[in-house]
Amino acid sequence: MQSKIDQYTAEISAFSPANADELETFRIKYLGTKGLLKDLFDEFKTVSPEEKRTLGKTLNEFKKFAEEKYQLLKEQSETSTDTQSDKQDLTLPGEGFALGSRHPLMLVRKEIIEIFKKLGFNVAEGPEIEDDWHNFSALNFPEEHPARDMQDTFFIKKGGEKGDIALRTHTSSVQVRMMEQGQPPFRAIMPGRVYRNEAISARAHCFFHQVEGLYVDENVSFADLKQTLFTFVQELYGEGTKVRFRPSYFPFTEPSAEMDISCTICKGAGCQMCKYSGWVEILGCGMVDPNVLENCGIDSSKYTGYAFGMGIERITNLKYEIRDLRLFSENDIRFLKQFKTEIV
Ligand code: PHE
């Protein structure tokens, strides 16, 4: 029996499996229920009591040795399979990564800017945190006048008191800055984010985006304003889109108007978007009030001008039939990816 143990010990020591199958054969041969170890234990029962004393120890040591060897080989074969699968196949195609898409508001903003550029307008920008002068007073909003309530303003408190600093409620403030810094002619549009203290709903938000426009020169008339806006609408929504002007009121323009276009969704037949009227309002406009020109150091007896302002969200809603303003700021990929365009 001792010689068998010696022989198996030598065999086991020398054993090195080429794969998992060989290791399994090894286990069955030595450690299986009908394996050689089992045979040795069976044989052990038959030896004399004297021999049992010495052989018992040797047999137990051999059993431990065989089991440990198997355990070790098993672990090795498991880790080596891992390294196998880690090996990279360099012929596989690369993993693609998804390109982002332009935000619909930015797409429409770009489109609006491009149309006005073709009509000879520059692009002007200004700060989002404004003072009372640029947002209100210079624009002919009298102090404490109810017209200021047309635009629910976020004021920034200074030492607990309502100061004259606010988040701009429109980009008309950029028009003031522009006129203060030079002399006509001015022909520019002012895209930018504006803020109003409104409860958030499908139809209102506490911030939105505008494009305003200003043209000041000698002999600028309301007819110029109408022609420019008409051309803009044909370019943006397609030939044949109708426009109409309704009298309105803004402190900074006189006369003032609101412009409607024939509903882009039902083409005037009547739908939910136009509340079955066939028309939708898209912007406010008018001739710059002489007081505004004077406030900015421009001679109102020599120059006249027109101004207009529109919300990009509204223009976008009409273009893509979006009915809830909140979608624009929720960053839901399912919404945004519908506007896939090449990145420019
Ligand atoms: N500033 C106006 C608004 O935000 C829009 C406007 C601009 C109207 C210029 C007339 C002329 O509502």
Side-chain angles (χ1 to χ4, degrees), residues 210 270 276 288 308:
Q210 274 193 329
Y276 299 94
V288 181
F308 57 85

Side-chain angles (χ1 to χ4, degrees), residues 59-341:
L59 187 57
N60 274 324
E61 274 169 8
F62 171 71
K63 177 177 183 250
K64 199 168 163 237
F65 164 73
E67 284 171 351
E68 280 177 1
K69 172 84 179 183
Y70 170 71
Q71 212 51 46
L72 185 76
L73 290 172
K74 196 173 152 220
E75 277 163 23
Q76 277 173 0
S77 94
E78 276 164 7
T79 45
S80 75
T81 0
D82 280 356
T83 22
Q84 283 283 324
S85 65
D86 269 358
K87 279 199 189 128
Q88 292 184 2
D89 180 352
L90 298 178
T91 64
L92 285 175
E95 261 176 46
F97 58 92
L99 278 185
S101 54
R102 292 262 174 215
H103 193 283
L105 291 178
M106 292 303 111
L107 287 174
V108 171
R109 176 191 141 115
K110 188 166 172 270
E111 218 177 314
I112 296 172
I113 291 176
E114 266 161 22
I115 296 171
F116 281 107
K117 272 190 174 169
K118 279 197 272 182
L119 296 171
F121 285 76
N122 295 323
V123 176
E125 285 183 347
E128 291 184 15
I129 300 173
E130 265 300 3
D131 50 37
D132 181 272
W133 171 255
H134 291 97
N135 198 80
F136 292 121
S137 297
L139 289 160
N140 207 31
F141 283 84
E143 203 75 38
E144 307 301 332
H145 190 277
R148 292 188 186 220
D149 299 340
M150 280 166 77
Q151 306 186 341
D152 296 298
T153 311
F154 284 117
F155 285 98
I156 293 165
K157 284 186 178 168
K158 260 197 232 155
E161 299 235 330
K162 196 173 98 176
D164 78 338
I165 304 295
L167 292 176
R168 68 180 177 194
T169 58
H170 49 186
T171 59
S172 304
S173 54
V174 187
Q175 306 184 9
V176 175
R177 287 181 177 275
M178 191 172 165
M179 288 191 282
E180 280 175 339
Q181 276 160 22
Q183 284 298 313
F186 298 110
R187 194 179 349 205
I189 50 168
M190 299 80 192
R193 184 176 277 195
V194 301
Y195 301 83
R196 293 190 193 174
N197 190 359
E198 303 227 23
I200 297 170
S201 71
R203 303 181 59 85
H205 212 295
C206 59
F207 67 80
F208 62 98
H209 300 78
Q210 274 193 329
V211 177
E212 293 217 351
L214 175 74
Y215 179 30
V216 183
D217 203 348
E218 287 177 39
N219 301 318
V220 175
S221 71
F222 202 93
D224 297 325
L225 170 64
K226 285 170 78 176
Q227 181 60 50
T228 305
L229 293 179
F230 177 75
T231 308
F232 164 68
V233 167
Q234 305 308 299
E235 290 276 321
L236 188 71
Y237 289 113
E239 298 277 316
T241 311
K242 292 194 197 111
V243 301
R244 76 174 184 193
F245 291 81
R246 282 178 291 105
S248 185
Y249 170 77
F250 298 102
F252 34 89
T253 44
E254 182 57 37
S256 304
E258 269 163 345
M259 189 180 85
D260 297 341
I261 60 170
S262 49
C263 182
T264 53
I265 295 172
C266 63
K267 308 280 176 243
C271 69
Q272 236 185 335
M273 190 66 101
C274 61
K275 299 203 199 85
Y276 299 94
S277 71
W279 294 95
V280 279
E281 180 202 320
I282 66 159
L283 55 80
C285 58
M287 299 306 291
V288 181
D289 192 299
N291 288 343
V292 176
L293 296 175
E294 294 295 336
N295 284 341
C296 301
I298 289 163
D299 184 353
S300 63
S301 62
K302 188 171 175 202
Y303 296 108
T304 51
Y306 66 68
F308 57 85
M310 66 191 95
I312 304 181
E313 277 79 352
R314 180 132 189 85
I315 306 279
T316 309
N317 288 351
L318 289 171
K319 217 172 156 65
Y320 295 115
E321 278 188 69
I322 297 163
R323 288 169 205 277
D324 192 329
L325 274 179
R326 291 168 292 198
L327 287 166
F328 291 126
S329 47
E330 279 170 349
N331 280 338
D332 187 331
I333 297 282
R334 292 167 303 177
F335 172 70
L336 295 173
K337 74 178 177 195
Q338 296 177 55
F339 304 90
K340 215 151 193 85
T341 44

